[in-house]
Amino acid sequence: MGLEPSVFDLRSWLERTEASGDLLRLEGVDASLEIGAASQVNYRRNRPRALLFDDIPGHPTGMRVLTSSLSSSYLMGAGLGLGEGLSDRDLVEALRGKPAQWTAQAKDFAAVFVEDGPIFEHRLSGDDINFTNFPCPVWHEADGGAYIGTGCAVVTVDPDNGVPNLGAYRIQVQDAGRSVTVNIEAGKHGFQHLKRWFAKEGRAPIAASLGHHPVLLVVAGTEVPTGISEYDYAGAILATPVPVVAGPVTGLPLPAESELAFEGWVYPNRTRPEGPFGEWTGYYSGGTTEVLCVDVAAIYHRSDPINLGAPPGKPPHDYSYMRSVMKSAMATDALIATGLAGVSGVWCHEAGGGRSIIAVALEQRYAGHSRQAGYLAAQHPATAYMNRLVITVDSDVDPRDLHEVMWAVSTRCDPAIDVDIMRRSWGSRVDPLVRPGEASYNSRMLIDACRPFERLGDFPAVAEANTESLDVVRRRWPELES
Ligand SMILES: Cc1cc2nc3c(=O)[nH]c(=O)nc-3n(C[C@H](O)[C@H](O)[C@H](O)COP(=O)(O)O)c2cc1C
């Protein structure tokens, strides 16, 4: 097709990932529940690898499913072009300040339209449209159906200024494979676009890429600031514009190297029951709801296409590590940008799906500083959605280490004065505590686990070996740590 693979080509990513030992190939695993179960075993390993499933029963060899593409620091570091072999700590360091930089640079790496791309190797329309011809995983036991889109990037466009948006919104197979539903929560950028198209033209163009370089999943699944196209943001991350092709039916931009994609239209009153689905909270808490169903005009795919799966569920799940890392980097930048002094680290814990539990470490500068940090972290737009617990700790505590954080809670926090509750905050429909039909408020708890400011001078010293002694014993007896 005349296009040299770009850095966004998934197949080149697979080659690099296999070379670094971070890819495992599995054959004969069934798309119904087995791919999901195998992936879950993998997420809970010390160092999860990306899993590439081939010879999926009922499908020709070569039609593959990829999962766990972002589930370790090694995969994240390489996927974001930050370096090979990055440990957890290295990755966090490498990400410092990056989200703000990518936001600023997005305009310099605007997506580039190309005439043609591998995605157009096969074009299906009319009676040939059937998603069940591709492996469509049923991820969890009680899911309402098969999902061809989890690690997907759903494309919509602002009807007024033409700026495209990518969102990871799950896609369930409907009508025996003839159509799909796209589950976009109200408030998400894609939903706002559709609503405005409906008001203007009575229908909205929609498209989705179902297999692509994992960096496109990162940007589609992360709250990139309003008005910035995730394509351009991805371009800034890898310092190369994303090559895109215009969908022949809707004109929406699709990654030229996408593995599998579709385009079509949605109408305000064309819906189908969707779900239940194992949600990121770890429960089937969303139930079954009516969701927009796509009138699919065309499917496009490469030969031997790869579907990128990223199922949520009880954490750790497919993208909980990615969510934690990205949320934490963005929250750190956002909190510093408020002008709050002394922030030394923010971590959005995987146990809370990267949203519900936030630890903020800071160098206390004045009385009330730690409480201010807690309130800001709990309600800043970058972190407010579905937060439940904010814990502030002093800068000698590693906010990423729950053991250390809870040690600070148990020794520096007096519950009678150091716990505040904020009510009627921004919750979620998928909160297992929210009853169906109820408004999805939640409350959140701030735990101030910093030493009391007025006691910084006389608070008991921490009882542990000092850095010098540790350096000496580590040098002399390296076997201690091997
Ligand atoms: C793998 C994955 C699946 C997701 N599924 C959904 C979903 O089904 N519906 C939804 O509204 N958000 C879902 N999200 C969260 C959104 O993708 C995320 O909030 C993103 O920022 C939305 O894009 P937007 O900010 O452009 O609206 C998912 C995220 C990931 C990473």
Side-chain angles (χ1 to χ4, degrees):
M1 294 258 155
L3 184 81
E4 279 299 303
S6 81
V7 289
F8 294 97
D9 178 55
L10 178 60
R11 297 175 187 210
S12 313
W13 177 91
L14 282 172
E15 279 173 24
R16 292 192 297 276
T17 306
E18 188 150 41
S20 70
D22 284 306
L23 181 75
L24 181 65
R25 293 173 184 269
L26 293 172
E27 284 158 16
V29 187
D30 205 295
S32 178
L33 299 178
E34 285 186 354
I35 290 182
S39 302
Q40 180 180 308
V41 171
N42 183 53
Y43 310 138
R44 295 176 186 186
R45 286 162 48 110
N46 240 351
R47 179 175 174 170
R49 282 172 286 176
L51 299 184
L52 186 64
F53 298 92
D54 202 346
D55 286 325
I56 297 168
H59 296 280
T61 299
M63 275 207 184
R64 291 156 289 172
V65 172
L66 174 68
T67 68
S68 321
S69 62
L70 296 161
S71 53
S72 75
S73 59
Y74 307 94
L75 288 162
M76 279 288 291
L80 295 175
L82 295 169
E84 300 282 324
L86 293 190
S87 70
D88 209 35
R89 190 172 286 274
D90 295 339
L91 178 66
V92 173
E93 272 312 306
L95 269 170
R96 234 169 242 269
K98 281 288 188 301
Q101 183 190 317
W102 295 330
T103 301
Q105 291 180 343
K107 60 180 182 322
D108 304 326
F109 293 98
V112 171
F113 275 92
V114 293
E115 286 292 304
D116 201 358
I119 182 55
F120 289 145
E121 275 172 20
H122 303 269
R123 301 172 185 237
L124 308 173
S125 57
D127 287 346
D128 292 332
I129 291 177
N130 194 333
F131 288 94
T132 60
N133 290 333
F134 304 93
C136 299
V138 176
W139 293 106
H140 326 97
E141 323 282 328
D143 282 357
Y147 281 79
I148 193 149
T150 45
C152 52
V154 174
V155 190
T156 56
V157 70
D158 185 309
D160 298 318
N161 62 18
V163 174
N165 186 74
L166 297 183
Y169 313 123
R170 71 183 186 235
I171 299 173
Q172 182 178 349
V173 177
Q174 301 280 358
D175 302 320
R178 304 270 164 211
S179 63
V180 288
T181 40
V182 180
N183 174 69
I184 314 184
E185 296 288 334
K188 303 282 165 127
H189 293 151
F191 187 85
Q192 299 304 326
H193 284 173
L194 299 186
K195 237 171 73 177
R196 283 165 47 216
W197 274 104
F198 290 160
K200 206 169 162 178
E201 295 202 359
R203 67 174 188 173
I206 194 163
S209 169
L210 305 169
H212 35 248
H213 188 294
V215 75
L216 292 178
L217 166 58
V218 173
V219 296
T222 298
E223 281 82 16
V224 170
T226 313
I228 296 181
S229 163
E230 282 80 358
Y231 277 126
D232 304 353
Y233 196 85
I237 293 177
L238 294 188
T240 313
V242 182
V244 294
V245 287
V249 179
T250 60
L252 289 174
L254 284 164
E257 291 155 304
S258 171
E259 294 283 331
L260 173 63
F262 68 83
E263 61 174 334
W265 305 92
V266 278
Y267 297 80
N269 49 10
R270 290 195 199 164
T271 61
R272 292 270 188 291
E274 196 268 357
F277 188 67
E279 309 275 359
W280 62 269
T281 53
Y283 298 87
Y284 297 98
S285 43
T288 303
T289 52
E290 287 289 322
V291 161
L292 290 172
C293 187
V294 183
D295 199 347
V296 179
I299 294 179
Y300 310 106
H301 70 95
R302 294 177 73 156
S303 300
D304 298 333
I306 304 167
N307 177 216
L308 179 60
K314 181 180 167 189
H317 60 68
D318 195 281
Y319 61 88
S320 54
Y321 181 73
M322 180 278 275
R323 167 61 45 72
S324 276
V325 167
M326 293 303 292
K327 264 274 160 203
S328 304
M330 291 177 121
T332 309
D333 278 5
L335 220 53
I336 290 171
T338 64
L340 185 75
V343 177
S344 63
V346 178
W347 197 252
C348 304
H349 282 273
E350 247 185 300
R355 296 192 189 276
S356 305
I357 309 172
I358 303 176
V360 180
L362 84 158
E363 192 99 42
Q364 289 189 72
R365 305 269 166 87
Y366 44 87
H369 188 184
S370 55
R371 212 56 72 92
Q372 182 189 17
Y375 276 89
L376 282 172
Q379 295 293 359
H380 192 285
T383 42
Y385 171 66
M386 193 49 181
N387 170 241
R388 181 101 76 199
L389 180 60
V390 175
I391 306 171
T392 47
V393 293
D394 294 300
S395 56
D396 63 320
V397 172
D398 180 355
R400 290 183 307 126
D401 183 337
L402 266 186
H403 183 84
E404 282 212 18
V405 170
M406 292 318 290
W407 168 73
V409 169
S410 61
T411 55
R412 301 181 188 182
C413 158
D414 177 354
I417 53 172
D418 288 327
V419 173
D420 286 357
I421 306 286
M422 301 170 92
R423 294 167 208 278
R424 289 174 79 81
S425 296
W426 186 15
S428 167
R429 189 178 68 80
V430 301
D431 182 345
L433 285 171
V434 171
R435 291 195 183 83
E438 271 181 2
S440 45
Y441 295 114
N442 76 358
S443 62
R444 52 204 61 187
M445 175 163 62
L446 310 185
I447 300 181
D448 187 347
C450 290
R451 298 175 184 93
F453 181 74
E454 63 279 20
R455 294 207 46 210
L456 283 182
D458 69 355
F459 204 81
V462 175
E464 62 177 351
N466 66 25
T467 318
E468 265 171 27
S469 311
L470 289 173
D471 284 349
V472 169
V473 296
R474 282 196 175 113
R475 254 196 328 271
R476 286 190 60 191
W477 295 284
E479 63 270 33
L480 276 170
E481 289 189 309
S482 61

